[in-house]
Amino acid sequence: MMHADLKKILITQEEIARRCQELGDTITNDYKGQKPLIVGLLKGSVPFMAELIKHIDLDIEIDFMDVSSYEGTESVGDVRINKDLSNSAQGDDILLVEDIVDTGRTLRRVIDFLYQKGAKSVRVVSLLDKPERRVVDINADYVGFVVPNEFVVGFGLDYNQRYRNLPYVGVLKEECY
Ligand code: 5GP
């Protein structure tokens, strides 16, 4: 059953599960022999990260960062780091987990920050990609799904902190903004 506040479902629970399996297999292959640190950006990446790491068959560690750049549905230019990694990133091969790449500002800032902290490599896996909205010339290395230029919620993505628990990704009805 679709949530009553949604206009449509863009990506179903089954499609997400299948894609996480595929991404996990690819990442497992690409990082063979390495022990990547998987870093989730709070809070939107949590459901995706949980599903994805089940399919990463490597000796990994996980950590989280909290950055903020978004108020309501409007992006603001600056990105603030609210919570840093628990450990030093020195020499780490980091796989950053994002819910969506929109303007690209968050990614640019966080990737630069991780290299400043001494990361050896930083790659990005994002559940969603909204290429039409890009302002900064940057892309995720691994993308689950490309979405059109609409405000999406579910599977980690919120509107004013709601809807993160929906097991699918969909578009809110206009009257719910
Ligand atoms: P960027 O810095 O790439 O513009 O923004 C990335 C962040 O903005 C994402 O991590 C996400 O929190 C938020 N964001 C961008 N587009 C959407 C969207 O369509 N829906 C929701 N819920 N959040 C979005």
Side-chain angles (χ1 to χ4, degrees):
M1 264 297 275
M2 182 172 71
H3 193 291
D5 293 352
L6 291 200
K7 185 159 72 178
K8 62 182 168 189
I9 292 178
L10 285 180
I11 308 162
T12 66
Q13 193 169 351
E14 293 72 26
E15 289 170 324
I16 293 170
R18 213 175 315 130
R19 191 74 185 113
C20 285
Q21 166 88 256
E22 290 172 0
L23 287 171
D25 290 346
T26 304
I27 289 162
T28 300
N29 262 308
D30 289 358
Y31 281 91
K32 203 139 267 157
Q34 292 172 279
K35 297 179 172 183
L37 175 66
I38 317 287
V39 174
L41 292 187
L42 295 171
K43 309 168 189 162
S45 72
V46 168
F48 175 47
M49 182 155 155
E51 184 65 27
L52 179 70
I53 62 173
K54 294 196 273 180
H55 305 291
I56 299 182
D57 186 15
L58 297 166
D59 190 2
I60 65 159
E61 290 185 26
I62 68 169
D63 204 345
F64 295 93
M65 283 180 68
D66 181 22
V67 304
S68 52
S69 62
Y70 233 69
E71 300 288 335
T73 61
E74 282 304 308
S75 185
V76 294
D78 198 26
V79 178
R80 203 179 52 213
I81 300 198
N82 303 318
K83 187 214 168 287
D84 197 348
L85 297 175
S86 305
N87 297 309
S88 137
Q90 196 67 45
D92 285 343
D93 292 302
I94 293 180
L95 180 63
L96 199 55
V97 185
E98 249 291 37
D99 51 359
I100 186 166
V101 185
D102 187 35
T103 64
R105 287 193 180 105
T106 307
L107 268 195
R108 177 76 279 153
R109 175 82 168 82
V110 174
I111 291 170
D112 290 350
F113 178 82
L114 292 170
Y115 277 120
Q116 276 169 29
K117 285 177 65 89
K120 185 164 134 211
S121 70
V122 181
R123 277 187 239 168
V124 179
V125 56
S126 184
L127 174 66
L128 306 177
D129 186 13
K130 214 193 267 180
E132 281 175 58
R133 290 254 309 165
R134 205 72 94 252
V135 171
V136 178
D137 184 23
I138 195 163
N139 286 302
D141 300 271
Y142 309 95
V143 170
F145 304 90
V146 173
V147 292
N149 189 6
E150 292 182 281
F151 190 78
V152 296
V153 297
F155 210 73
L157 291 116
D158 73 308
Y159 174 64
N160 287 342
Q161 300 303 327
R162 296 183 62 203
Y163 310 110
R164 294 193 196 274
N165 55 324
L166 301 183
Y168 44 77
V169 173
V171 181
L172 271 185
K173 288 178 181 166
E174 273 84 23
E175 64 257 37
C176 295
Y177 289 118

